[in-house]
Amino acid sequence: MTDAPAYTVVVPTIGRPCLAECLRALAAADDHAPHEVIVVDDRPEPDGDLPLQSAGPLLDRVRTLRTCGKGPAAARNAGWRTVRTPWTVFLDDDVQVLPDWSRLLAEELREAGEDVGGIQGRLRVPLPPDRRPTDWERNTKGLENAAWATADMAYRTQALTRAGGFDERFPRAFREDADLALRMQRAGWSLIRGRRVTRHPVRAAHWWASLPAQRGNADDALMNRLHGRDWWDRAQAPRGRFHRHLLVTGAALAAASCALTGRRRAATVCAALWTLGTAEFALARIMPGPRTAREITGMLGTSVLIPPLAVRHWLRGVVRHRHAEPLGGAG
């Protein structure tokens, strides 16, 4: 594999225990080892050492940086801007590359044409074999079809420089990868899917985890501002249920307004529409799942709250980013 281009791995982390498994798996895939592994510590206040010893034979190639809670986009930027190899490979700290990962990556880098700016790895999300997956597990499973996800994404370092890197106005691990991919393509680079496979386990989450996830609607508003309303198709992103959330929330507000103004019949109709929309949403989440009492209770409660939260965060994003301009250097 000595004729394959050199690469550096950048792993942003907030100190989760899964980082140890990530580094251990990377060390086990040693056919074409990385020139360097840059672990970017994005903990606001580090309360202990990172498990770097898990890198084993790669430990002497591990270098750490600190970004103090600036978010994954800023952490990846801090990492790749110090890279000295032709390629930069981004891995999330909750993934585990397979044993043949580096061999397949070497083949992909060697075969990449000069116009190829990025090569995506294939994510595999294992689900429990003995029961139906929960709503959270099914959402994580959707990463298998996500385009240009930086959970495992190799970018030509020169292309990152020309595109300006990640846009740090995206504060979460959401849409910052799609934004970069669209700017890469606009700059003339092609992005392709590779053959290497990376395992992405489902991390443990509370039953209400879908509620804070609604903050991502603000990032969708930023994407609309930066890339136009057709960015969904160009980024190969699923549309989701936002328009239904907008209708359900509108029905709830209309019911309250009509009730306050004494229009009882209209209030009843709007309340019925809200009830039907909420019930449909809850059933759509409950029926494919394990249907345990805990799961059903969680789905019922969050299905009531998700639509107004989604709309609230989207409106907040529209207002906050109303004057946002595309990141410099995208052309």
Side-chain angles (χ1 to χ4, degrees):
M1 297 297 176
T2 55
D3 61 331
Y7 68 97
T8 297
V9 172
V10 174
V11 184
T13 185
I14 53 174
R16 296 185 293 189
C18 53
L19 174 63
E21 290 300 319
C22 176
L23 295 177
R24 190 174 293 117
L26 184 61
D30 58 359
D31 288 315
H32 181 48
H35 172 77
E36 194 173 31
V37 178
I38 303 175
V39 177
V40 187
D41 184 352
D42 196 43
R43 293 176 292 177
E45 297 181 1
D47 56 359
D49 294 333
L50 296 174
L52 303 181
Q53 296 296 327
S54 301
L58 292 180
L59 184 58
D60 61 344
R61 304 187 185 201
V62 174
R63 178 163 56 90
T64 59
L65 300 173
R66 285 188 58 189
T67 46
C68 302
K70 294 181 179 179
R76 294 191 189 102
N77 280 342
W80 77 260
R81 285 172 178 155
T82 68
V83 167
R84 300 184 297 273
T85 54
W87 288 85
T88 301
V89 180
F90 296 103
L91 294 177
D92 284 350
D93 68 353
D94 58 351
V95 303
Q96 301 156 12
V97 303
L98 297 191
D100 63 352
W101 180 86
S102 58
R103 176 180 62 80
L104 294 174
L105 173 64
E107 295 175 0
E108 292 164 4
L109 299 184
R110 189 189 304 113
E111 296 166 1
E114 293 185 358
D115 66 317
V116 174
I119 309 173
Q120 180 181 4
R122 298 180 181 272
L123 299 179
R124 294 292 179 265
V125 179
L127 295 179
D130 56 345
R131 60 167 173 80
R132 294 184 178 188
T134 64
D135 180 68
W136 179 255
E137 290 166 343
R138 295 195 305 274
N139 285 338
T140 305
K141 184 74 171 177
L143 290 173
E144 291 186 346
N145 300 317
W148 326 130
T150 40
D152 179 2
M153 186 73 193
Y155 275 118
R156 200 180 291 272
T157 307
Q158 177 191 5
L160 287 169
T161 301
R162 286 176 52 183
F166 292 90
D167 190 333
E168 297 179 17
R169 288 173 293 185
F170 291 91
R172 288 164 286 276
F174 190 70
R175 301 304 188 208
E176 85 290 358
D177 46 9
D179 167 74
L180 176 59
L182 291 178
R183 286 187 286 110
M184 284 279 191
Q185 292 171 326
R186 192 162 63 220
W189 297 100
S190 63
L191 305 179
I192 62 175
R193 296 177 185 266
R195 299 182 296 276
R196 67 188 190 278
V197 177
T198 294
R199 185 173 179 267
H200 191 304
V202 179
R203 62 180 175 85
H206 296 293
W207 62 267
W208 64 82
S210 56
L211 299 181
Q214 300 311 309
R215 295 170 183 157
N217 286 281
D219 303 316
D220 286 345
L222 177 56
M223 288 291 289
N224 284 346
R225 175 68 187 176
L226 298 178
H227 300 286
R229 295 186 179 277
D230 65 340
W231 70 266
W232 300 87
D233 296 329
R234 290 183 284 120
Q236 302 175 41
R239 287 274 182 170
R241 298 178 62 100
F242 179 74
H243 287 94
R244 295 189 187 185
H245 293 337
L246 196 60
L247 291 173
V248 169
T249 303
L253 293 174
S257 176
C258 290
L260 289 173
T261 56
R263 292 178 289 172
R264 293 185 177 181
R265 181 173 297 179
T268 300
V269 171
C270 291
L273 291 174
W274 173 83
T275 301
L276 288 172
T278 302
E280 183 275 330
F281 182 36
L283 286 173
R285 302 171 71 206
I286 291 170
M287 296 307 293
R291 305 180 198 173
T292 61
R294 177 183 175 84
E295 177 78 358
I296 292 173
T297 302
M299 293 302 98
L300 288 174
T302 55
S303 294
V304 172
L305 297 174
I306 283 175
L309 276 176
V311 173
R312 175 181 177 272
H313 286 298
W314 179 77
L315 289 173
R316 181 172 57 85
V318 169
V319 173
R320 174 178 295 179
H321 302 301
R322 63 189 182 278
H323 301 305
E325 297 293 335
L327 189 67

Short mmCIF file of all heavy atoms in Angstrom, two decimals, residues 202-229:
data_model
loop_
_atom_site.label_atom_id
_atom_site.label_comp_id
_atom_site.label_asym_id
_atom_site.label_seq_id
_atom_site.Cartn_x
_atom_site.Cartn_y
_atom_site.Cartn_z
N VAL A 202 -25.70 2.28 17.74
CA VAL A 202 -26.70 3.20 18.26
C VAL A 202 -26.31 3.55 19.69
O VAL A 202 -26.20 2.67 20.54
CB VAL A 202 -28.10 2.58 18.24
CG1 VAL A 202 -29.13 3.55 18.81
CG2 VAL A 202 -28.48 2.16 16.82
N ARG A 203 -26.08 4.82 19.95
CA ARG A 203 -25.71 5.21 21.31
C ARG A 203 -26.95 5.26 22.20
O ARG A 203 -28.06 5.48 21.74
CB ARG A 203 -25.00 6.56 21.31
CG ARG A 203 -25.81 7.74 20.81
CD ARG A 203 -24.99 9.02 20.88
NE ARG A 203 -25.68 10.17 20.30
CZ ARG A 203 -26.55 10.92 20.95
NH1 ARG A 203 -26.83 10.66 22.22
NH2 ARG A 203 -27.13 11.94 20.35
N ALA A 204 -26.73 5.05 23.47
CA ALA A 204 -27.83 5.10 24.43
C ALA A 204 -28.41 6.51 24.48
O ALA A 204 -27.69 7.50 24.36
CB ALA A 204 -27.33 4.68 25.81
N ALA A 205 -29.72 6.59 24.63
CA ALA A 205 -30.38 7.90 24.66
C ALA A 205 -31.62 7.82 25.53
O ALA A 205 -32.25 6.77 25.67
CB ALA A 205 -30.76 8.34 23.25
N HIS A 206 -31.98 8.94 26.13
CA HIS A 206 -33.19 9.02 26.92
C HIS A 206 -34.42 9.01 26.01
O HIS A 206 -34.32 9.32 24.81
CB HIS A 206 -33.20 10.29 27.76
CG HIS A 206 -32.11 10.35 28.79
ND1 HIS A 206 -32.06 9.50 29.88
CD2 HIS A 206 -31.01 11.14 28.89
CE1 HIS A 206 -30.99 9.78 30.61
NE2 HIS A 206 -30.34 10.76 30.04
N TRP A 207 -35.57 8.71 26.57
CA TRP A 207 -36.79 8.63 25.76
C TRP A 207 -37.15 9.98 25.17
O TRP A 207 -37.86 10.06 24.16
CB TRP A 207 -37.94 8.08 26.59
CG TRP A 207 -38.32 8.93 27.78
CD1 TRP A 207 -37.87 8.82 29.05
CD2 TRP A 207 -39.25 10.04 27.78
NE1 TRP A 207 -38.43 9.78 29.86
CE2 TRP A 207 -39.29 10.54 29.11
CE3 TRP A 207 -40.03 10.66 26.81
CZ2 TRP A 207 -40.08 11.62 29.47
CZ3 TRP A 207 -40.82 11.74 27.16
CH2 TRP A 207 -40.85 12.21 28.49
N TRP A 208 -36.67 11.06 25.77
CA TRP A 208 -37.00 12.40 25.26
C TRP A 208 -35.94 12.95 24.31
O TRP A 208 -35.96 14.12 23.97
CB TRP A 208 -37.19 13.36 26.43
CG TRP A 208 -35.95 13.59 27.26
CD1 TRP A 208 -34.90 14.45 26.99
CD2 TRP A 208 -35.60 12.94 28.48
NE1 TRP A 208 -33.94 14.38 27.96
CE2 TRP A 208 -34.34 13.45 28.91
CE3 TRP A 208 -36.22 11.97 29.28
CZ2 TRP A 208 -33.70 13.02 30.06
CZ3 TRP A 208 -35.57 11.54 30.43
CH2 TRP A 208 -34.34 12.07 30.81
N ALA A 209 -35.01 12.10 23.86
CA ALA A 209 -33.90 12.58 23.01
C ALA A 209 -34.39 13.23 21.73
O ALA A 209 -33.68 14.07 21.14
CB ALA A 209 -32.96 11.42 22.69
N SER A 210 -35.58 12.87 21.26
CA SER A 210 -36.09 13.47 20.02
C SER A 210 -36.47 14.93 20.20
O SER A 210 -36.61 15.65 19.21
CB SER A 210 -37.30 12.68 19.53
OG SER A 210 -38.30 12.61 20.54
N LEU A 211 -36.63 15.38 21.43
CA LEU A 211 -37.01 16.78 21.66
C LEU A 211 -35.85 17.74 21.40
O LEU A 211 -35.99 18.67 20.60
CB LEU A 211 -37.58 16.96 23.06
CG LEU A 211 -38.85 16.13 23.37
CD1 LEU A 211 -39.33 16.42 24.78
CD2 LEU A 211 -39.94 16.43 22.35
N PRO A 212 -34.69 17.58 22.05
CA PRO A 212 -33.58 18.49 21.72
C PRO A 212 -33.11 18.35 20.28
O PRO A 212 -32.52 19.28 19.73
CB PRO A 212 -32.48 18.09 22.72
CG PRO A 212 -32.86 16.75 23.23
CD PRO A 212 -34.35 16.68 23.18
N ALA A 213 -33.39 17.21 19.65
CA ALA A 213 -33.00 17.04 18.24
C ALA A 213 -33.73 18.01 17.33
O ALA A 213 -33.27 18.28 16.21
CB ALA A 213 -33.26 15.60 17.80
N GLN A 214 -34.84 18.57 17.79
CA GLN A 214 -35.60 19.50 16.96
C GLN A 214 -34.85 20.81 16.71
O GLN A 214 -35.23 21.60 15.85
CB GLN A 214 -36.96 19.78 17.59
CG GLN A 214 -37.83 18.54 17.75
CD GLN A 214 -37.91 17.71 16.50
OE1 GLN A 214 -38.20 18.23 15.41
NE2 GLN A 214 -37.63 16.42 16.62
N ARG A 215 -33.79 21.06 17.49
CA ARG A 215 -32.97 22.25 17.24
C ARG A 215 -32.41 22.26 15.84
O ARG A 215 -32.08 23.30 15.29
CB ARG A 215 -31.84 22.31 18.26
CG ARG A 215 -32.30 22.50 19.70
CD ARG A 215 -31.14 22.31 20.64
NE ARG A 215 -31.56 22.40 22.04
CZ ARG A 215 -30.90 21.87 23.06
NH1 ARG A 215 -29.77 21.22 22.85
NH2 ARG A 215 -31.35 22.00 24.29
N GLY A 216 -32.30 21.07 15.24
CA GLY A 216 -31.78 21.00 13.89
C GLY A 216 -32.63 21.72 12.86
O GLY A 216 -32.15 22.04 11.77
N ASN A 217 -33.88 22.02 13.19
CA ASN A 217 -34.72 22.78 12.26
C ASN A 217 -34.18 24.19 12.03
O ASN A 217 -34.39 24.77 10.96
CB ASN A 217 -36.16 22.83 12.78
CG ASN A 217 -36.88 21.51 12.62
OD1 ASN A 217 -37.34 21.17 11.53
ND2 ASN A 217 -36.97 20.76 13.70
N ALA A 218 -33.49 24.74 13.02
CA ALA A 218 -32.84 26.05 12.83
C ALA A 218 -31.73 25.94 11.79
O ALA A 218 -31.49 26.88 11.02
CB ALA A 218 -32.29 26.56 14.15
N ASP A 219 -31.05 24.80 11.77
CA ASP A 219 -29.99 24.59 10.78
C ASP A 219 -30.58 24.42 9.38
O ASP A 219 -29.97 24.83 8.39
CB ASP A 219 -29.14 23.37 11.16
CG ASP A 219 -28.54 23.52 12.54
OD1 ASP A 219 -28.04 24.61 12.85
OD2 ASP A 219 -28.58 22.54 13.32
N ASP A 220 -31.77 23.83 9.29
CA ASP A 220 -32.45 23.74 8.00
C ASP A 220 -32.78 25.13 7.47
O ASP A 220 -32.70 25.39 6.26
CB ASP A 220 -33.72 22.91 8.12
CG ASP A 220 -33.42 21.42 8.25
OD1 ASP A 220 -32.29 21.01 7.97
OD2 ASP A 220 -34.34 20.68 8.64
N ALA A 221 -33.18 26.02 8.37
CA ALA A 221 -33.46 27.40 7.96
C ALA A 221 -32.20 28.07 7.43
O ALA A 221 -32.24 28.83 6.44
CB ALA A 221 -34.03 28.19 9.14
N LEU A 222 -31.06 27.79 8.06
CA LEU A 222 -29.79 28.34 7.57
C LEU A 222 -29.44 27.76 6.20
O LEU A 222 -28.96 28.49 5.32
CB LEU A 222 -28.68 28.06 8.58
CG LEU A 222 -27.27 28.49 8.19
CD1 LEU A 222 -27.21 29.98 7.87
CD2 LEU A 222 -26.28 28.14 9.31
N MET A 223 -29.69 26.48 6.01
CA MET A 223 -29.43 25.86 4.71
C MET A 223 -30.29 26.50 3.63
O MET A 223 -29.82 26.75 2.51
CB MET A 223 -29.70 24.36 4.78
CG MET A 223 -28.68 23.57 5.58
SD MET A 223 -27.05 23.47 4.78
CE MET A 223 -27.40 22.36 3.41
N ASN A 224 -31.56 26.79 3.94
CA ASN A 224 -32.42 27.48 2.98
C ASN A 224 -31.82 28.81 2.57
O ASN A 224 -31.84 29.20 1.39
CB ASN A 224 -33.81 27.71 3.58
CG ASN A 224 -34.65 26.46 3.63
OD1 ASN A 224 -34.34 25.47 3.00
ND2 ASN A 224 -35.73 26.51 4.39
N ARG A 225 -31.31 29.54 3.54
CA ARG A 225 -30.75 30.86 3.28
C ARG A 225 -29.47 30.77 2.44
O ARG A 225 -29.26 31.58 1.53
CB ARG A 225 -30.46 31.55 4.62
CG ARG A 225 -29.75 32.89 4.51
CD ARG A 225 -30.65 33.94 3.89
NE ARG A 225 -29.88 35.17 3.64
CZ ARG A 225 -30.38 36.23 3.03
NH1 ARG A 225 -31.64 36.22 2.61
NH2 ARG A 225 -29.64 37.30 2.83
N LEU A 226 -28.63 29.79 2.73
CA LEU A 226 -27.33 29.69 2.06
C LEU A 226 -27.40 29.04 0.68
O LEU A 226 -26.64 29.39 -0.22
CB LEU A 226 -26.35 28.90 2.93
CG LEU A 226 -26.01 29.48 4.30
CD1 LEU A 226 -25.07 28.55 5.05
CD2 LEU A 226 -25.38 30.87 4.16
N HIS A 227 -28.33 28.06 0.52
CA HIS A 227 -28.31 27.24 -0.69
C HIS A 227 -29.62 27.24 -1.47
O HIS A 227 -29.71 26.55 -2.49
CB HIS A 227 -27.94 25.79 -0.33
CG HIS A 227 -26.60 25.66 0.32
ND1 HIS A 227 -25.41 25.78 -0.38
CD2 HIS A 227 -26.25 25.44 1.62
CE1 HIS A 227 -24.39 25.62 0.46
NE2 HIS A 227 -24.87 25.42 1.67
N GLY A 228 -30.61 28.00 -1.02
CA GLY A 228 -31.88 27.98 -1.72
C GLY A 228 -32.76 26.83 -1.27
O GLY A 228 -32.28 25.87 -0.66
N ARG A 229 -34.04 26.91 -1.58
CA ARG A 229 -34.99 25.92 -1.07
C ARG A 229 -34.91 24.57 -1.77
O ARG A 229 -35.58 23.61 -1.35
CB ARG A 229 -36.41 26.48 -1.17
CG ARG A 229 -36.62 27.69 -0.27
CD ARG A 229 -38.05 28.16 -0.27
NE ARG A 229 -38.22 29.30 0.60
CZ ARG A 229 -38.39 29.23 1.92
NH1 ARG A 229 -38.42 28.04 2.50
NH2 ARG A 229 -38.54 30.32 2.64
#
